[in-house]
Amino acid sequence: MSANLFEELSKKIKGQLEFDEVSRIVYSTDASAYYEQPLGVVKPRDEVDVQEIILFAQKHQINLIPRAAGTSLAGQVVGAGLVVDVGRYMNKILEVNVKEKWVRVQPGVVLDELNQYLKTYGLFFGPETSTSNRCMIGGMVGNNSCGAHSLIYGSTRDHTMALRGYLSNGDEVVFKNLQNWEFEQKCRGESFEGEIYRSMREVLTNKENRRSIRKEFPHPDIHRRNTGYALDYLIESYPYKAEGAHFNMCQLLAGSEGTLFFATEIKLNLIDVPPKEKGLVCVHLNTLEEALEANLVGLQFNPGAIELMDKAIMDLTKKNVLQNKNRFFVEGDPEALLLVEFARESKDEIKQLANDMIAALQQKGFGYAYPVLYGGDINKVWNLRKAGLGVLGNMPGDERPVPVIEDTAVRPEDLPSFIADIKIMLDKYGKECVYYAHIGTGELHLRPVLNMKKEQDVELFYQIARDTAIIVKEYKGSLSGEHGDGRLRGEFIPLMVGEHNYRLFKEVKKIFDPNNIFNAGKIIDTPQMNTSLRYKEVKNELVDKALFDWSSTLGLGRAAEKCTGSGDCRKSHLIGGTMCPSYMGSRDERQTTRARANMLREFFAGTIPATRLGYDEVKEVLDLCLSCKACKTECPSNVDMTKLKAEFVNAYHEQFGIPLRSKLIAHLPAFNKLLMPFSYLYNIGVRNKWIKAINEKYFGISSKRCLPRLSKQSLIKWNKKRQASGNEKQVYFFADEFTNFNDTKEGIAAIMLLEKLGYQVVVPNHQVSGRTYLSKGLLKGAKKLAIQNVELLSGVVHYDAPLIGIEPSAILTLRDEYPELVPDGLKEKAQQLAKNTFTFEEFIAHEYDKGHIGPEQFVSDRKIIRYHSHCYQKALSDTKLTQTILEIPENYSAEEIPSGCCGMAGSFGYEKEHYDLSMKIGELVLFPEIRNSKKDALIVAAGTSCRHQIKDGTDVEALHPALVLYMALK
């Protein structure tokens, strides 16, 4: 496609049009196994843009691929057409009618954000997927999504009242429930819409067609049936069934994957929020087979949901910091877990139901533990279940669970024999499988473990899919329960519904889209399902020159490949969490962890050449990564983009040299040491507007920022002058490069506090942490410092004399990066040092728990405190510990500000090209929360860059927790 063609479209729309190499690679995958570069990406701002895009596509015969959040699992949004990203701008809630219980939305509205908005009206949209915190309503309609509670809430199709949008010729239409006379009137219309109604009536009036549909389609008792086009729903309506429901084309369009119609507005039926009382019974079982039978017992008690997690999934959750905390309820080592949820008006009713169900299970010998959870604990368990797809990326090596059988649905009573047949089939190929998901509705996500880099396993991918289709057909099941056909299952639709019905599908496609411009190659006429796969052998030599130890992922290349594309990094600030701050601030797919992983994967595979241009393309996407480490915890696959970025930037420097600004920032501690005697003059200078202008022009430091002041003397110098306390309990204090030169006041407060609390504080001989080197990808310098510090500290620091630091980014470097940065000979010492290294908050909280520190040591004044946690505390520690220590004084009340990253991220927010995004991130939650705090509230932040960001954004002086507690001493 030529640039001139894109220019033609660009002039007609208000939205963005991107056809550069980076955008094409970023949009080349979704959450499926597929990879294919599109022609480009267009981001319409409104429905008029969409119409212009369709007319352009018709004129030039270009395939349009509608895309929302890109979380589809069957390759629905992967292809060689023009991707239309509706999530970027078309994300508004248009109207809520509380009385009639409906809402109108644009297709880019996120499900959880919609339900947050509706909560104030006492309403919500029922179907909820495991991707609910980032999936969009347009995608849910396209796939006819269901979710864990489909037992009571059904599918998206059940709640889609009307669709406004465009036909393939560019005509705007509204599809909705039609009275019988309205249907007849539509059929008499002379427009393209009328032609569609007439043609569909002709197809469905044919008795032979209706007989074939009823005979070959999945069993009507299976509500989760998404194979092909939903003609089986339409024939149950007027005029094809005398007592049928009113005709609504939305029944067909839901689940059609954007192949028939382009929706720009969706009207959804709403329901009352569920009963306030919920209970979750977590049934621990000894075998998978036992779980399949226990499911049938659970269904007798009318639960709202029954979900399954097998041992393979549960074991992988241990490797995720966040999800490991959500395993609190697990007893022993179950082979399978059934999660059975009840929602009723009273807790007593739930208790009775739970007890009755448990008794029934025990009578049949099913299960060995049955913890019943309430309140916030339920959400933790559902978060564990929702992480199922993502944690599969934690399986090391090239053999991984792949999406091939992951959406089959049969009647629940058929599940035991169906799974037995699947196991026999897999045994034939010597393969094992992961089992999880919606067991209560007869749908399980089964993922066989394959190495998709091997030709024989790529062939096996096809064979297993075909064998599965044959087995599903024997049970009159659906090959797709909710994930859709896409390009994964489309090939097997003739087998599932018969050749006659498949011809009907092709006819339907032609009726709606005669020129095949809407998402071609999905559902019908799909490519062979084991082609255009994302799995590639690593070819780039960079992976052999890595400075970090990547053995935990079996190599640097595989660390990027851990990303499954599930899109957890697309959460907005309204959802909460920290990952991914650059996406939260921009709402741009290019600024997601997923996009960065895609670029790195293709770079390591050689798709992006190892030339200056190739390096620059990858660097461009990595540039807005704030290195917050949130992905290491919040990404279910634990993709550590901070570490990946540092490794790549180091290689970039090796190839093309180190920019001056990067050198200055990396060596900042050394410059600060030289400037300490002139701190008075330095502090005046950095606030001078002329010097700020020079810094911006020559060094790229934003003139809107004030560089951190230098203290009058360094902490180490102050420490040498003080007298040791002689206290018996000894701790070592890490005088990091920020506390030593810039935050001496906070360092002194921490040392004096510890001394007053009965500890002898020693500042050992050590080097700087290396954080500034790591942040700029100067790994050789960071490695050298890590080696020196491990050698200096490992013989000194031990269990009874731990190392404490007050700057999270510095002290946690010793715990997180050092063990993976030092040579093998020092690894054991580094790991031992890491075990005995603590943040200030961790140490004080542990000592408080032991009874070594108490409220009696502090004043009894009343104080209200609101604290912001550093990103590294969120990722590598526990932010609740800050609340614990700030509430040691008996009348101190502390509350965590529900903010993600502050936006400063070390030097990131000081750099002129990043300043605007940095402040925008701060304005999402943190700044407004601080401005709305009570005037007498103390604002607290442990991170030095966080405190500077708060000052710049709100003009509030935030305090370090150590300073707050020191001032609170009696």
Side-chain angles (χ1 to χ4, degrees):
M1 187 171 173
S2 69
N4 290 336
L5 275 183
F6 278 116
E7 186 67 24
E8 176 190 333
L9 178 59
S10 185
K11 289 177 181 177
K12 293 181 177 179
I13 64 172
K14 299 178 284 295
Q16 294 168 243
L17 183 58
E18 301 166 356
F19 52 94
D20 57 286
E21 185 78 6
V22 172
S23 295
R24 292 171 61 222
I25 291 174
V26 166
Y27 281 85
S28 63
T29 63
D30 50 12
S32 72
Y34 296 101
Y35 173 94
E36 188 171 5
Q37 286 194 25
L39 298 173
V41 182
V42 61
K43 300 173 182 178
R45 285 190 177 269
D46 55 26
E47 63 276 4
V48 177
D49 274 2
V50 171
Q51 186 178 40
E52 289 292 349
I53 292 164
I54 292 170
L55 293 173
F56 171 81
Q58 273 288 10
K59 178 180 177 182
H60 298 289
Q61 293 297 288
I62 292 170
N63 178 30
L64 297 179
I65 304 171
R67 179 176 173 130
T71 57
S72 47
L73 289 159
Q76 285 94 328
V77 297
V78 176
L82 180 63
V83 171
V84 186
D85 182 350
V86 296
R88 179 67 181 90
Y89 298 113
M90 298 183 69
N91 47 30
K92 297 176 185 63
I93 298 170
L94 301 172
E95 181 185 4
V96 178
N97 188 311
V98 177
K99 185 178 179 181
E100 296 180 11
K101 296 183 181 179
W102 54 258
V103 63
R104 283 191 305 116
V105 300
Q106 290 183 315
V109 169
V110 172
L111 174 58
D112 277 357
E113 293 179 20
L114 173 63
N115 279 332
Q116 279 184 8
Y117 180 83
L118 294 172
K119 192 174 182 180
T120 58
Y121 301 105
L123 300 170
F124 85 119
F125 178 61
E128 99 292 16
T129 68
S130 62
T131 56
S132 60
N133 62 7
R134 69 266 189 200
C135 79
M136 296 174 177
I137 300 300
M140 293 185 70
V141 172
N143 283 345
N144 186 34
S145 301
C146 298
H149 293 84
S150 64
L151 275 171
I152 48 177
Y153 300 134
S155 68
T156 302
R157 176 182 289 126
D158 300 323
H159 299 271
T160 304
M161 299 174 69
L163 294 171
R164 178 186 293 273
Y166 294 93
L167 300 173
S168 61
N169 71 338
D171 285 355
E172 185 178 26
V173 297
V174 176
F175 289 115
K176 62 178 184 176
N177 212 41
L178 298 177
Q179 298 292 327
N180 295 353
W181 66 268
E182 289 178 300
F183 175 78
E184 298 298 339
Q185 187 180 61
K186 288 285 186 184
C187 290
R188 290 193 295 270
E190 295 182 2
S191 64
F192 183 37
E193 178 190 15
E195 187 181 326
I196 288 172
Y197 273 99
R198 283 193 300 276
S199 298
M200 287 300 298
R201 181 174 63 178
E202 186 177 334
V203 169
L204 298 176
T205 303
N206 185 298
K207 290 182 179 179
E208 183 185 349
N209 289 345
R210 294 207 303 274
R211 273 197 299 268
S212 178
I213 290 167
R214 290 195 170 101
K215 178 184 176 185
E216 298 288 352
F217 267 55
H219 197 291
D221 287 353
I222 301 169
H223 195 66
R224 286 172 172 266
R225 55 188 201 273
N226 242 17
T227 298
Y229 295 126
L231 299 179
D232 55 335
Y233 278 85
L234 287 186
I235 63 173
E236 298 302 316
S237 61
Y238 173 86
Y240 317 111
K241 191 173 182 180
E243 303 299 321
H246 293 303
F247 188 92
N248 191 336
M249 199 73 82
C250 296
Q251 296 276 293
L252 174 72
L253 298 176
S256 65
E257 302 179 8
T259 61
L260 305 178
F261 174 74
F262 201 115
T264 57
E265 185 182 302
I266 302 160
K267 184 178 179 181
L268 300 169
N269 170 61
L270 303 175
I271 53 181
D272 294 327
V273 293
K276 62 179 180 177
E277 294 294 343
K278 291 182 181 179
L280 186 69
V281 186
C282 305
V283 185
H284 294 51
L285 298 129
N286 292 306
T287 66
L288 176 67
E289 288 72 19
E290 194 180 332
L292 299 172
E293 297 290 349
N295 173 54
L296 301 177
V297 176
L299 286 170
Q300 296 171 16
F301 294 86
N302 298 316
I306 305 184
E307 294 284 294
L308 170 75
M309 294 182 76
D310 76 351
K311 178 174 165 52
I313 290 275
M314 292 298 296
D315 285 348
L316 288 170
T317 61
K318 296 176 184 177
K319 299 178 182 180
N320 180 281
V321 177
L322 186 63
Q323 297 310 327
N324 194 37
K325 295 176 183 177
N326 290 336
R327 291 173 49 89
F328 66 94
F329 66 97
V330 179
E331 300 179 25
D333 191 21
E335 284 293 320
L337 281 172
L338 275 190
L339 308 175
V340 187
E341 185 183 89
F342 297 101
R344 298 294 189 271
E345 293 301 331
S346 72
K347 196 169 184 178
D348 288 341
E349 189 178 356
I350 290 173
K351 284 181 179 178
Q352 186 61 54
L353 276 169
N355 289 337
D356 291 347
M357 186 187 74
I358 291 167
L361 288 168
Q362 289 174 330
Q363 186 177 12
K364 290 183 175 288
F366 297 151
Y368 67 86
Y370 317 87
V372 184
L373 308 178
Y374 300 94
D377 284 344
I378 293 176
N379 288 334
K380 293 176 185 177
V381 179
W382 283 129
N383 286 337
L384 184 75
R385 156 62 192 94
K386 287 182 176 184
L389 169 62
V391 297
L392 295 176
N394 280 327
M395 191 171 284
D398 291 333
E399 286 200 346
R400 301 200 179 176
V402 295
V404 58
I405 324 175
E406 98 301 340
D407 201 30
T408 58
V410 298
R411 293 182 302 170
E413 58 265 35
D414 291 332
L415 264 179
S417 55
F418 170 73
I419 293 298
D421 288 344
I422 290 289
K423 280 191 168 187
I424 291 170
M425 181 267 291
L426 290 174
D427 286 345
K428 179 175 70 175
Y429 298 114
K431 294 297 176 181
E432 294 182 342
C433 197
V434 173
Y435 303 82
Y436 67 106
H438 319 297
I439 189 171
T441 52
E443 179 178 3
L444 284 183
H445 298 334
L446 317 178
R447 290 192 169 219
V449 178
L450 300 174
N451 181 353
M452 298 295 281
K453 293 179 181 179
K454 289 183 176 180
E455 192 175 329
Q456 58 266 40
D457 275 18
V458 171
E459 180 59 29
L460 201 53
F461 185 56
Y462 172 84
Q463 291 170 354
I464 289 174
R466 182 170 179 79
D467 287 358
T468 299
I470 292 168
I471 295 171
V472 173
K473 180 65 175 175
E474 288 174 359
Y475 287 88
K476 208 170 169 52
S478 179
L479 197 57
S480 170
E482 64 173 339
H483 295 163
D485 297 310
R487 55 196 296 166
L488 175 63
R489 285 173 277 271
E491 186 172 355
F492 305 113
I493 289 178
L495 190 155
M496 299 306 301
V497 299
E499 290 290 347
H500 181 89
N501 289 329
Y502 185 64
R503 286 194 296 273
L504 292 183
F505 289 170
K506 297 181 81 166
E507 189 174 345
V508 168
K509 171 68 172 173
K510 193 168 185 179
I511 289 168
F512 276 85
D513 184 21
N515 291 322
N516 204 26
I517 66 163
F518 282 164
N519 213 5
K522 313 295 160 49
I523 299 182
I524 65 160
D525 298 326
T526 57
Q528 189 166 327
M529 57 83 67
N530 60 347
T531 58
S532 299
L533 299 171
R534 69 193 290 175
Y535 311 97
K536 303 178 181 77
E537 289 287 355
V538 172
K539 297 175 183 176
N540 195 298
E541 62 180 13
L542 166 60
V543 299
D544 299 320
K545 298 178 180 179
L547 289 186
F548 275 115
D549 176 9
W550 296 95
S551 59
S552 63
T553 56
L554 301 184
L556 171 58
R558 293 187 182 95
E561 290 172 354
K562 286 177 70 175
C563 174
T564 62
S566 60
D568 296 73
C569 44
R570 286 182 57 98
K571 302 192 309 290
S572 77
H573 68 284
L574 297 172
I575 301 301
T578 303
M579 180 181 72
C580 172
S582 55
Y583 175 76
M584 290 180 180
S586 68
R587 290 292 186 112
D588 186 349
E589 172 70 25
R590 289 165 64 116
Q591 307 311 331
T592 61
T593 309
R594 172 169 72 179
R596 295 171 187 129
N598 279 342
M599 290 296 290
L600 286 169
R601 185 187 65 245
E602 297 307 312
F603 180 72
F604 295 146
T607 308
I608 301 172
T611 60
R612 179 63 185 258
L613 179 61
Y615 268 92
D616 283 344
E617 285 179 341
V618 180
K619 186 171 179 287
E620 177 193 340
V621 174
L622 292 177
D623 180 61
L624 292 185
C625 169
L626 280 75
S627 297
C628 67
K629 285 190 184 290
C631 47
K632 182 166 184 172
T633 300
E634 293 182 28
C635 169
S637 303
N638 301 130
V639 175
D640 189 347
M641 191 51 63
T642 301
K643 189 176 161 188
L644 283 162
K645 178 183 177 181
E647 191 74 77
F648 174 84
V649 174
N650 178 74
Y652 187 95
H653 292 335
E654 290 288 318
Q655 289 279 335
F656 310 112
I658 306 170
L660 176 60
R661 186 176 68 187
S662 294
K663 288 181 181 178
L664 290 174
I665 291 170
H667 295 286
L668 189 61
F671 290 122
N672 282 342
K673 186 175 182 180
L674 290 172
L675 290 167
M676 282 302 289
F678 316 103
S679 60
Y680 176 76
L681 293 174
Y682 171 86
N683 291 339
I684 294 173
V686 295
R687 275 150 181 75
N688 181 278
K689 66 177 182 179
W690 302 110
I691 291 178
K692 283 185 177 184
I694 290 169
N695 280 340
E696 179 166 294
K697 183 175 181 179
Y698 293 104
F699 306 121
I701 303 298
S702 174
S703 59
K704 297 173 184 176
R705 294 285 191 191
C706 288
L707 288 170
R709 297 172 61 116
L710 288 174
S711 300
K712 291 181 180 179
Q713 64 175 331
S714 70
L715 181 65
I716 290 175
K717 187 175 181 180
W718 171 86
N719 183 66
K720 287 178 179 176
K721 295 177 182 177
R722 77 178 179 92
Q723 274 193 317
S725 65
N727 292 332
E728 185 177 342
K729 291 180 287 186
Q730 190 178 78
V731 296
Y732 290 99
F733 189 89
F734 190 75
D736 65 80
E737 51 267 47
F738 311 106
T739 306
N740 190 33
F741 298 121
N742 308 109
D743 299 324
T744 303
K745 179 179 70 174
E746 286 77 6
I748 291 172
I751 291 173
M752 295 298 290
L753 172 71
L754 289 164
E755 293 273 1
K756 292 279 188 181
L757 293 176
Y759 302 91
Q760 182 184 343
V761 182
V762 177
V763 178
N765 180 27
H766 66 78
Q767 298 293 328
V768 297
S769 72
R771 186 77 257 153
T772 56
Y773 289 83
L774 288 163
S775 71
K776 288 296 153 191
L778 275 65
L779 294 191
K780 287 184 178 178
K783 190 182 186 86
K784 182 179 178 182
L785 290 167
I787 290 170
Q788 290 174 338
N789 276 332
V790 170
E791 289 175 336
L792 288 168
L793 296 171
S794 61
V796 177
V797 174
H798 54 86
Y799 178 80
D800 293 319
L803 183 68
I804 303 167
I806 68 165
E807 169 50 42
S809 67
I811 194 67
L812 290 171
T813 298
L814 278 70
R815 229 163 61 192
D816 190 47
E817 279 97 349
Y818 277 21
E820 297 176 332
L821 202 51
V822 298
D824 290 343
L826 282 177
K827 213 168 270 304
E828 190 175 338
K829 287 184 177 180
Q831 290 167 347
Q832 198 60 36
L833 175 63
K835 288 179 183 177
N836 296 308
T837 297
F838 300 96
T839 66
F840 170 81
E841 294 81 3
E842 289 169 342
F843 177 77
I844 296 294
H846 294 164
E847 293 297 287
Y848 174 63
D849 286 344
K850 294 175 185 174
H852 298 162
I853 299 172
E856 67 280 358
Q857 295 167 288
F858 297 90
V859 297
S860 57
D861 300 347
R862 292 190 178 277
K863 279 274 192 300
I864 297 171
I865 300 169
R866 303 198 75 203
Y867 68 93
H868 165 76
S869 299
H870 190 282
C871 290
Y872 286 17
Q873 289 178 298
K874 293 168 183 169
L876 305 171
S877 183
D878 185 349
T879 62
K880 290 181 181 177
L881 299 178
T882 304
Q883 181 177 7
T884 298
I885 69 167
L886 290 173
E887 291 184 343
I888 293 176
E890 60 181 339
N891 290 317
Y892 277 30
S893 174
E895 174 194 29
E896 183 171 9
I897 296 171
S899 50
C901 179
C902 72
M904 184 67 92
S907 66
F908 181 89
Y910 286 97
E911 294 162 357
K912 66 177 182 180
E913 70 272 25
H914 298 149
Y915 173 81
D916 289 340
L917 178 61
S918 169
M919 297 305 285
K920 190 172 183 181
I921 292 168
E923 287 289 357
L924 293 174
V925 178
L926 180 60
F927 296 169
E929 284 282 343
I930 290 174
R931 294 187 194 113
N932 293 330
S933 297
K934 293 181 179 178
K935 288 186 178 180
D936 59 346
L938 290 180
I939 302 300
V940 172
T944 182
S945 61
C946 304
R947 295 194 297 275
H948 283 278
Q949 177 77 328
I950 290 169
K951 175 64 177 174
D952 287 354
T954 66
D955 202 32
V956 171
E957 295 278 356
L959 305 177
H960 193 284
L963 194 57
V964 173
L965 289 181
Y966 177 66
M967 293 188 298
L969 282 170
K970 283 183 177 177

